[in-house]
Structure formats: structure tokens, C-alpha cells
């Protein structure tokens, strides 16, 4: 009994076309063992992923040890396969996280990131006494990067269909193995009430700046320079589903950013755009197998990346491949179990 196979490759469906679904699809296609199709209700640029800042730096995401491992693997993957390609919209940019109070503890992901160091005094704006630094951090011009992922996925033979899945059994009609990269959509599709929105608003401006700088100690303030513009942020309103920007949040963000980067206090800021995204927040990333229909169908869950989807994307994609390949033999076993027993001749 074999799985759905065409041209001796196993057919896999991915639900979701955000940074997680696309990264996972690319990793599967690069093995040469799978035909991969994506079904997704929204396509770039209309995904949460497209609303991200985005830079490499763990944030609002757990569990800490795995996020550290997957963040480091993602940084290495970017260095090996992406940053050198100008079409990717990525740039190496030092990042500083700064604190108004002394911060004795290093971040939990420190053991995984060799380039981590403490900030120098000259990197701290007035009123800040401590900080972290990652000199080989990098940023993504999000829409450019998302288009790059779509093009890479398609160039490897992947196909994308705009299609909402209301019941996972729709997918099982055509596929034995499905990878769930629906982010916040898992709240409905898999009735996972542990995943909820954390609303983030950002401002896109013309000015650029030489580094990414963030204060996330008591509130959120960040400046993230990109190729074509700079992102100022942000907010983190849990269980808030409002996807419309508010004037109040814009004013709050500008006030907070002026404190971490005085140049924004002095210069007139030319706002190009204001965006809102709902981070898929969960107490921890769900990256595991779940069997359905008596074990004859496999769903690999890969969702709940909170404020770090881009930062852990490739580490999680590689883990999803490993988890899926550990699950498929059981699928075959269950399918064999369900085959009708040959009638005895006696
Ligand atoms: C303001 C803001 C700034 C951020 N900045 C950063 C940053 O600097 N660095 C970083 O690492 N992360 C950042 N993030 C977090 C990052 O954006 C998310 O972690 C990431 O986008 C999650 O990716 P995803 O693919 O899981 O989700 P999504 O991008 O939401 O993709 C989910 C996909 O599944 C589809 N889908 C859902 N349900 C169904 C269904 N039933 N049927 C079919 N399709 C379905 C959706 O249409 C969508 O295509 C930021 C987030 C926000 C809001
Ligand atoms: N430590 C961070 N990554 N914060 C700054 C980037 C924005 C972000 O991740 C979000 O708003 O979710």
C-alpha cells in the first residue's frame, strides 16, 4: 500500500502561505522526495507575515531552548542560502536591544548565538544603561522577502492554490499527509483555543537608520531600517482582533521611538504607511504529528510562532521535515492495517 505518489514522489499538502508555510514547502522540495502544493485562504501580500517588521531577533515566542536552537539554525540558513541574493530583500544590520535598568541575565537564546555580546556604552542612547548586541543580525524588506519565498517555492516545482479549508477532511480526500501552517487559523481549523492574536501596529517611514534598535523592557519601541524604508513600532495587544490602524497607537509609537532614537524626535517624520498584524501567539510553538482517521492520515502542525516567525522559520521548517519523516512510516503501517484481509481459501 503506498501513499499518494506521482512520479515516485510523495504528494504533500501545506495549508497556509505565510513565511512558515513557504519556508516549510521550500525545505521539502529541496529534498527532491516530495510534490508540494500549498492551499491558502490569503496569499502574499495579504498575510500576517507581510505585516511584519521584520528582523532576526527572538520575541514573544516559546519554548526558550527550542526558540534559541531554531533561531540560530535560521540565522545560519539565511547566511548559507539567502542573504547573498539581492532579490531576497535582506540586509545584514547590527541590532541593539537596550534597557533603562541593568540587565544581569543574558537572553535565553544566548548559548545558541555565538555573535551575541553586551552593548557598548556608545551604543546606548541617553537614559539607557545596559543592552545586548548582535553584529550579524539581519533585516528583511518584508514584501520583497515574501515574494522571494513565493518565487523560490514555485521555481522548485511547488504550486499554490488560493483556497480556504473549512474542515481538514477536505484535504484528506486528496492527501495522506498535510502540514498545518495556518498560524492563527488553527484556532478555528483545529479548534486550538490556546492560540490567540497579539495585535501589532507598525509605521513605515522614508528615513533610514544605520542599525536596528529596540527597547522592549516596559513597553515596545523599535526602529528597524530596511532596504526601501524603515519600520517604527510597535504594540502588543493580546486577544485584540482589530486589524485597523489607530491614530492613538501611531502617536504612542512615535512618542516611544523618539526616546530610543532622538533623531526621530528632532526630524519631521514622513509616514508612508501604517500596518496592523495579528501575531499567532501561543504558550509555545506547536510542531508535532497528529494522526487522523484511524492513523491513515497525518497532519504535521507547525504554527504559533508569535513575534518570531521569520526568526525561527527555517529552523522550524527543517524540524517539520524531520517530524514528518518520522511519522510517515506509522502512516504506512496504519494503512496496511486497514487493508481488507485476503479471504482464506479454506
Ligand atoms: C507588527 C508585527 C511585526 C513583526 N515583526 C517580526 C519580526 O521583526 N521578526 C519576526 O521573526 N517576526 C515578526 N513578526 C511575527 C511574524 O509576523 C509571525 O510570527 C509570522 O508571520 C507567522 O507566520 P505564519 O506563516 O505562521 O502565519 P501567517 O502569515 O498568518 O500565515 C498563515 C496562512 O495560513 C492561511 N490560513 C489560515 N487559516 C486557513 C484555512 N482555514 N484555510 C486555508 N488557509 C488558511 C492564511 O491565509 C495565511 O496565508 C511580527 C508580527 C507583527 C504583527
Ligand atoms: N525583538 C523583536 N523581534 N522585536 C522587534 C521586531 C518586531 C517584532 O518582532 C514584533 O513586533 O513582533
Amino acid at each position: 500500500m503506498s501513499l499518494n505518489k506521482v512520479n515516485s514522489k510523495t504528494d504533500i499538502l501545506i495549508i497556509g502561505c505565510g513565511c512558515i508555510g513557504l519556508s516549510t514547502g521550500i525545505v521539502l522540495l529541496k529534498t527532491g522526495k516530495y510534490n508540494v502544493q500549498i492551499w491558502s485562504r490569503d496569499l502574499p501580500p495579504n498575510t500576517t507575515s507581510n505585516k511584519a517588521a521584520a528582523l532576526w531577533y527572538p520575541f514573544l515566542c516559546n519554548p526558550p531552548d527550542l526558540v534559541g536552537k531554531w533561531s540560530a539554525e535560521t540565522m545560519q540558513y539565511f547566511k548559507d542560502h539567502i542573504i547573498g541574493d539581492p532579490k531576497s530583500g535582506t540586509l545584514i544590520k547590527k541590532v541593539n536591544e537596550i534597557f533603562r535598568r541593568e540587565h544581569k541575565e543574558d537572553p535565553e537564546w544566548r548559548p545558541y548565538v555565538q555573535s551575541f555580546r553586551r552593548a557598548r556604552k556608545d551604543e546606548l542612547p541617553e537614559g539607557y544603561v545596559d543592552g545586548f548586541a548582535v553584529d550579524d543580525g539581519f533585516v528583511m524588506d518584508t514584501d520583497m522577502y515574501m515574494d522571494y519565498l513565493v518565487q523560490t517555492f514555485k521555481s522548485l516545482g511547488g504550486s499554490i492554490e488560493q483556497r480556504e479549508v473549512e474542515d481538514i477532511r477536505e484535504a484528506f480526500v486528496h492527501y495522506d499527509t498535510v502540514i498545518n501552517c495556518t498560524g492563527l487559523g488553527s484556532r478555528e481549523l483545529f479548534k486550538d483555543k490556546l492560540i490567540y492574536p497579539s495585535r501589532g501596529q507598525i509605521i513605515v517611514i522614508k528615513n533610514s537608520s544605520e542599525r536596528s534598535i529596540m527597547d522592549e523592557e516596559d513597553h515596545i519601541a523599535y526602529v528597524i531600517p530596511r532596504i526601501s524604508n524603515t519600520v517604527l513600532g510597535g504594540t502588543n495587544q493580546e486577544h485584540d482582533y482589530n486589524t485597523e490602524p489607530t491614530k492613538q497607537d501611531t502617536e504612542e509609537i512615535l512618542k516611544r521611538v523618539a526616546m530610543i532614537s532622538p533623531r526621530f524626535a528632532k526630524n519631521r517624520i514622513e509616514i508612508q504607511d501604517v500596518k496592523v498584524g495579528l501575531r499567532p501567539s501561543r504558550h509555545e510553538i506547536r510542531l508535532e504529528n497528529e494522526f487522523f482517521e484511524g492513523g491513515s492520515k497525518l497532519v504535521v502542525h507547525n504554527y504559533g510562532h508569535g513575534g518570531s516567525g521569520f526568526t525561527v522559520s527555517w529552523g522550524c521548517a527543517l524540524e517539520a521535515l524531520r517530524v514528518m519523516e518520522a511519522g510517515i512510516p506509522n502512516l504506512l503501517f496504519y494503512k496496511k492495517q486497514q487493508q481488507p484481509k485476503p479471504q482464506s481459501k479454506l
Side-chain angles (χ1 to χ4, degrees):
M1 161 59 75
S2 69
L3 299 171
N4 305 61
K5 281 183 178 287
V6 175
N7 57 25
S8 82
K9 292 182 181 179
T10 305
D11 289 350
I12 307 290
L13 174 69
I14 292 177
I15 307 177
C17 199
C19 69
I20 298 298
L22 287 163
S23 306
T24 305
I26 289 165
V27 161
L28 262 63
L29 286 167
K30 282 189 169 179
T31 66
K33 295 155 66 174
Y34 305 104
N35 299 310
V36 184
Q37 178 165 41
I38 290 179
W39 289 354
S40 188
R41 179 189 57 226
D42 313 301
L43 302 180
N46 302 315
T47 67
T48 302
S49 295
N50 285 87
K51 307 295 184 295
L55 93 167
W56 179 96
Y57 200 88
F59 181 59
L60 301 179
C61 191
N62 285 300
D65 52 335
L66 284 173
V67 167
K69 175 176 180 289
W70 291 332
S71 300
E73 289 170 355
T74 299
M75 179 182 270
Q76 196 54 53
Y77 192 97
F78 266 93
K79 287 178 182 172
D80 295 346
H81 302 285
I82 296 177
I83 286 177
D85 185 342
K87 293 195 299 300
S88 69
T90 50
L91 271 182
I92 295 262
K93 280 275 181 188
K94 172 176 79 172
V95 52
N96 284 120
E97 183 173 4
I98 56 178
F99 306 100
R100 289 183 176 282
R101 297 180 294 276
E102 199 196 342
H103 211 79
K104 288 195 175 47
E105 300 294 312
D106 285 344
E108 286 150 325
W109 46 267
R110 193 264 171 278
Y112 298 90
V113 179
Q114 299 323 311
S115 54
F116 172 88
R117 64 176 171 79
R118 286 282 169 162
R120 295 187 307 270
K121 286 277 170 264
D122 66 284
E123 292 173 315
L124 301 176
E126 196 183 325
Y128 288 84
V129 298
D130 203 349
F132 300 153
V134 177
D135 292 308
D136 55 353
F138 50 91
V139 297
M140 289 138 262
D141 191 311
T142 324
D143 286 342
M144 264 180 88
Y145 180 64
M146 289 298 290
D147 290 346
Y148 170 79
L149 290 182
V150 170
Q151 293 321 315
T152 304
F153 177 75
K154 287 181 174 173
S155 68
L156 290 166
S159 64
I160 298 174
E161 183 181 337
Q162 186 153 20
R163 172 172 179 170
E164 176 157 22
V165 177
E166 302 204 337
D167 182 321
I168 190 61
R169 286 169 297 186
E170 295 166 33
F172 292 156
V173 171
H174 307 280
Y175 294 89
D176 294 324
T177 305
V178 178
I179 305 189
N180 170 31
C181 299
T182 57
L184 199 51
S186 292
R187 193 174 168 85
E188 289 316 314
L189 186 57
F190 290 95
K191 304 286 175 272
D192 178 0
K193 298 309 176 202
L194 293 173
I195 190 156
Y196 61 91
S198 294
R199 181 179 176 277
Q201 180 163 318
I202 57 169
I203 303 169
V204 182
I205 64 169
K206 198 166 167 6
N207 319 46
S208 73
S209 126
E210 70 294 347
R211 62 173 169 162
S212 294
I213 187 163
M214 305 173 306
D215 165 3
E216 289 159 352
E217 202 171 10
D218 302 323
H219 49 233
I220 300 181
Y222 49 77
V223 176
I224 300 175
R226 309 184 317 180
I227 291 177
S228 43
N229 48 42
T230 290
V231 167
L232 308 180
T235 67
N236 178 32
Q237 294 122 329
E238 294 198 325
H239 305 286
D240 183 336
Y241 282 86
N242 173 26
T243 54
E244 289 306 311
T246 69
K247 195 163 172 298
Q248 185 193 344
D249 280 338
T250 294
E251 284 164 5
E252 270 296 301
I253 290 169
L254 292 174
K255 219 185 307 169
R256 296 202 293 260
V257 160
M259 290 194 286
I260 64 171
S261 193
R263 62 198 291 271
F264 288 110
K266 289 196 284 288
N267 302 350
R268 204 182 72 73
I269 290 185
E270 187 188 325
I271 293 180
Q272 286 183 337
D273 197 0
V274 184
K275 296 184 179 189
V276 171
L278 303 181
R279 299 178 192 85
S281 291
R282 196 171 185 275
H283 64 290
E284 61 178 17
I285 294 170
R286 187 177 183 199
L287 216 175
E288 60 180 0
N289 286 332
E290 184 179 8
F291 287 94
F292 290 80
E293 306 204 344
S296 65
K297 301 291 179 183
L298 169 62
V299 171
V300 183
H301 293 293
N302 184 9
Y303 67 92
H305 303 83
S308 298
F310 292 84
T311 303
V312 296
S313 52
W314 295 104
C316 287
L318 292 163
E319 179 70 5
L321 170 65
R322 195 193 62 70
V323 165
M324 180 188 84
E325 292 190 334
I328 284 181
N330 300 349
L331 196 54
L332 284 169
F333 167 75
Y334 282 123
K335 288 178 88 68
K336 216 176 254 132
Q337 292 288 84
Q338 292 186 340
Q339 266 186 316
K341 301 275 178 287
Q343 296 303 325
S344 80
K345 298 279 180 285
L346 298 177

